[in-house]
Amino acid sequence: MHALILTDDGPRFTTDYPEPALTGEARIRLSLGGICATDLELVSGYMGFTGVLGHEWVGVVEEASEPDLVGRRVVGEINCPCRICATCLAGRPTHCPHRTVLGIAGRNGAFAERFSLPVDNLFVVPDAVPDEAAVFVEPLAAALQILVQAHIKPTQRVVVLGLGRLGQLCARVLALSGAEVTGVSRTEAKRSLLPSGIATAHPDDVAPGADVVVDCTGSAAGMALAARLVRPGGRVVLKTTVHDPLPVSPTMWVIDEVTVIGSRCGPFGPALRLLETGAVDPRPLITGRASLEDGVDALTEAARPGSIKVLLEP
Amino acid sequence: MHALILTDDGPRFTTDYPEPALTGEARIRLSLGGICATDLELVSGYMGFTGVLGHEWVGVVEEASEPDLVGRRVVGEINCPCRICATCLAGRPTHCPHRTVLGIAGRNGAFAERFSLPVDNLFVVPDAVPDEAAVFVEPLAAALQILVQAHIKPTQRVVVLGLGRLGQLCARVLALSGAEVTGVSRTEAKRSLLPSGIATAHPDDVAPGADVVVDCTGSAAGMALAARLVRPGGRVVLKTTVHDPLPVSPTMWVIDEVTVIGSRCGPFGPALRLLETGAVDPRPLITGRASLEDGVDALTEAARPGSIKVLLEP
């Protein structure tokens, strides 16, 4: 089958990748995939992953132990926990130390004609949500994880640093709380993508003293800026992985009693609800669309500074 | 008057320091002072402070606008906020950007025969609390601040790294929650100071996967160890100021969704209650006692590895 794979020699499109084995999991036919910053990091060698790329997707179930699911349009949780270890039994399956992660760790991803996931991971997509919106459910869930971990009050001032793929969604989700949200980017084109009602600023022009600063820059400099902008007693949410050591001394966190919250994957159910009600419409973030066959070029396009979300079709 | 002061040439005892000016604040006669790690950092040039040292103390009010206070035994909040700026009016006076801090920033400290503090900062010491316990109220309040900032559950496992002045109090306070607390130090003498019911361990022997890790080591290495010991989804509390950049990459905080909580000063009222009920008895932590006259030697003694709390008498 067609697949966009990562090999030790880099990403490659292939027409003869083996079909997913039938292991009791659901088999899904890809409808639409989305390229994420993590895919680009994987291509750079992050985490040593090889195999089929892709963890943002919407598809149709071809085969499943639960007959009701067959033929349904679904999205799915990317973490596949063992469900029997102490971490899973403590209610933290997304942190299962034995987990595989779709297209990221120990498991082939979704950028292929067909792929498999446990039935328990799947969520049926409501009819009102088109594929072009449903394909955003994974990063939208990651944005919502901020609200799972931190109580953001309607009276607070929130700054989102970086208006790329994830920052755009974080700004939209945080604004739903009623908080005063400012999205920060050096790029006018990215700032202008935010809907009216969400303020924007250049990094040099942000007022300090924010109650909450969310770092979606994917750079160590973002963390340093976050430390400067947060108020004493405030919170910094880290949404992106940075491989450099931290460029700030934690002393000011102690003196100013700042809380730093690492935040990763989030809940799919609430994300689907926000897409269904239309409270979040991610479709303006689509800046490119390509076939799997042109997937290597699409990865390059997704890495271009002006690009936000590039979609892949089988 | 006698005073232990910090000059540009280091700490010095003097017999002719000017009496505190009468500015509408309470004038207090020192009964007992305590040397803190922050004093030792100030002596090393931290924050460029000069003047009378000392912010851990118990004393007797000699003069105050509130006549009921005169002659009473008191302790006092060390942060002196302006009480009129936006931060103060938002209910965060300990973070007032205009604050002075007793013996730390912009205000002479308590290691003198007499010193002054605003009446609003003072707390009358209950009769049941001897001076030798009351002098610990400031660091005990700082330990309690962990419980102000973080809900520690009786069912959780908590590791306290570093069993110096503050670590000893943090371990005792956290154990009151019913949590399973382990105090960690390289030094057997410090481990053996912890009351029975609190586990102890050498840093090489601590099981990872703790729900909460409190770093009281005062070293960058402590932060790195904390990052290794905390479980995914767990919390690291930073209690000590480190001037080196952080030796860990924040990537694991994101992937493991760790929350890092900077924590500084805490509430005096609850600290006095715990001293009054006897739930915390800090007196076994006293390892030395000297007069102000011998204060410079006492600072050296307090910096010795085996030392915990050195008290100063006028």
Side-chain angles (χ1 to χ4, degrees):
Chain A
M1 63 175 185
H2 290 195
L4 180 62
I5 60 172
L6 183 60
T7 70
D8 289 336
D9 300 323
R12 187 162 68 79
F13 171 72
T14 174
T15 58
D16 60 353
Y17 203 80
E19 294 280 340
L22 292 176
T23 58
E25 298 191 340
R27 194 173 59 190
I28 300 148
R29 193 178 69 247
L30 179 69
S31 303
L32 211 49
I35 297 175
C36 163
T38 303
D39 297 319
L40 304 178
E41 288 186 75
L42 290 169
V43 167
S44 311
Y46 164 66
M47 292 180 74
F49 175 79
T50 58
V52 179
L53 285 166
H55 60 276
E56 296 183 8
W57 59 274
V58 55
V60 175
V61 177
E62 282 194 344
E63 194 170 316
S65 55
E66 226 171 282
D68 283 358
L69 275 175
V70 176
R72 303 297 296 274
R73 208 158 53 103
V74 293
V75 290
E77 248 290 356
I78 70 174
N79 294 286
C80 303
C82 75
R83 299 192 190 275
I84 55 172
C85 72
T87 300
C88 285
L89 296 178
R92 297 188 291 271
T94 59
H95 292 293
C96 170
H98 314 293
R99 72 186 181 274
T100 58
V101 187
L102 187 74
I104 294 177
R107 168 180 285 270
N108 275 328
F111 294 165
E113 289 180 86
R114 276 172 294 280
F115 59 97
S116 73
L117 259 187
V119 165
D120 287 347
N121 283 46
L122 302 183
F123 291 74
V124 172
V125 178
D127 290 342
V129 181
D131 282 353
E132 284 74 11
V135 72
F136 284 90
V137 71
E138 196 275 337
L140 183 59
L144 275 167
Q145 178 70 355
I146 299 171
L147 300 178
V148 172
Q149 296 177 277
H151 178 197
I152 308 290
K153 301 183 190 177
T155 48
Q156 291 185 312
R157 189 159 75 82
V158 178
V159 172
V160 177
L161 301 180
L163 294 177
R165 301 161 189 82
L166 190 56
Q168 291 280 347
L169 295 171
C170 287
R172 284 164 171 77
V173 161
L174 291 163
L176 296 177
S177 69
E180 182 191 338
V181 175
T182 303
V184 176
S185 170
R186 295 195 177 282
T187 313
E188 159 60 21
K190 289 185 177 175
R191 297 198 299 270
S192 66
L193 271 174
L194 284 177
S196 137
I198 302 181
T200 61
H202 187 277
D204 297 342
D205 302 327
V206 194
D211 298 296
V212 179
V213 182
V214 180
D215 178 25
C216 298
T217 61
S219 77
M223 183 67 218
L225 180 58
R228 282 204 302 280
L229 293 177
V230 70
R231 69 160 169 83
R235 291 171 289 180
V236 171
V237 179
L238 299 184
K239 280 307 289 186
T240 54
T241 50
V242 174
H243 302 286
D244 310 310
L246 205 59
V248 294
S249 149
T251 291
M252 286 316 295
W253 299 351
V254 175
I255 292 176
D256 286 343
E257 296 193 319
V258 168
T259 294
V260 180
I261 301 170
S263 178
R264 185 173 43 105
C265 292
F268 274 46
L272 280 173
R273 285 194 289 276
L274 291 182
L275 292 173
E276 188 175 8
T277 65
V280 176
D281 181 359
R283 288 172 295 178
L285 304 180
I286 301 170
T287 54
R289 194 159 174 152
S291 67
L292 280 183
E293 199 169 339
D294 296 325
V296 176
D297 288 345
L299 288 167
T300 306
E301 162 62 18
R304 198 176 51 79
S307 163
I308 307 275
K309 182 59 72 184
V310 176
L311 300 184
L312 287 175
E313 300 171 291
Chain B
M1 65 175 183
H2 291 194
L4 180 62
I5 60 172
L6 183 60
T7 71
D8 289 334
D9 300 324
R12 187 162 70 78
F13 171 72
T14 174
T15 59
D16 60 354
Y17 202 81
E19 295 279 341
L22 292 176
T23 57
E25 298 191 340
R27 194 172 60 190
I28 300 149
R29 192 177 71 247
L30 179 68
S31 301
L32 210 51
I35 296 174
C36 164
T38 303
D39 297 320
L40 305 178
E41 289 186 75
L42 290 169
V43 167
S44 311
Y46 165 66
M47 291 179 73
F49 175 80
T50 57
V52 179
L53 285 166
H55 59 275
E56 296 182 10
W57 59 275
V58 54
V60 174
V61 177
E62 282 194 345
E63 194 170 314
S65 55
E66 227 172 282
D68 283 357
L69 275 175
V70 176
R72 303 296 296 273
R73 206 157 55 102
V74 293
V75 290
E77 247 290 356
I78 69 174
N79 294 286
C80 303
C82 75
R83 298 191 191 275
I84 55 169
C85 72
T87 301
C88 285
L89 296 179
R92 298 188 291 271
T94 59
H95 292 292
C96 170
H98 314 294
R99 71 186 182 275
T100 58
V101 187
L102 186 75
I104 294 178
R107 167 179 286 271
N108 277 326
F111 294 164
E113 288 179 90
R114 275 172 295 280
F115 59 98
S116 73
L117 258 187
V119 165
D120 286 346
N121 283 47
L122 302 183
F123 291 74
V124 171
V125 178
D127 290 343
V129 182
D131 282 353
E132 285 75 8
V135 73
F136 284 90
V137 71
E138 196 275 336
L140 183 58
L144 275 167
Q145 179 70 357
I146 299 171
L147 300 178
V148 172
Q149 296 178 277
H151 179 198
I152 308 289
K153 300 182 191 177
T155 49
Q156 290 186 313
R157 188 159 76 81
V158 178
V159 171
V160 177
L161 301 179
L163 294 176
R165 300 160 189 84
L166 189 57
Q168 291 280 347
L169 294 171
C170 287
R172 283 164 171 78
V173 161
L174 290 163
L176 295 177
S177 69
E180 182 192 338
V181 175
T182 303
V184 176
S185 170
R186 296 195 176 281
T187 314
E188 160 59 21
K190 289 185 176 173
R191 296 198 298 269
S192 66
L193 271 174
L194 283 178
S196 135
I198 301 180
T200 61
H202 186 277
D204 297 342
D205 302 328
V206 193
D211 297 296
V212 179
V213 182
V214 180
D215 178 26
C216 298
T217 60
S219 78
M223 183 69 217
L225 180 57
R228 282 204 301 280
L229 293 177
V230 70
R231 71 160 168 83
R235 290 171 290 179
V236 171
V237 179
L238 299 183
K239 280 308 288 187
T240 54
T241 50
V242 174
H243 302 286
D244 310 308
L246 204 58
V248 295
S249 149
T251 290
M252 287 317 294
W253 301 350
V254 175
I255 293 176
D256 286 343
E257 297 193 319
V258 168
T259 294
V260 180
I261 302 170
S263 177
R264 185 173 42 107
C265 293
F268 274 46
L272 281 173
R273 285 195 288 276
L274 291 182
L275 292 173
E276 188 174 10
T277 64
V280 176
D281 182 0
R283 288 172 297 179
L285 304 180
I286 301 169
T287 54
R289 195 159 174 152
S291 67
L292 281 183
E293 200 169 339
D294 297 324
V296 176
D297 288 345
L299 287 167
T300 306
E301 163 62 17
R304 197 176 53 78
S307 163
I308 308 273
K309 183 58 72 182
V310 176
L311 300 184
L312 287 174
E313 300 171 292

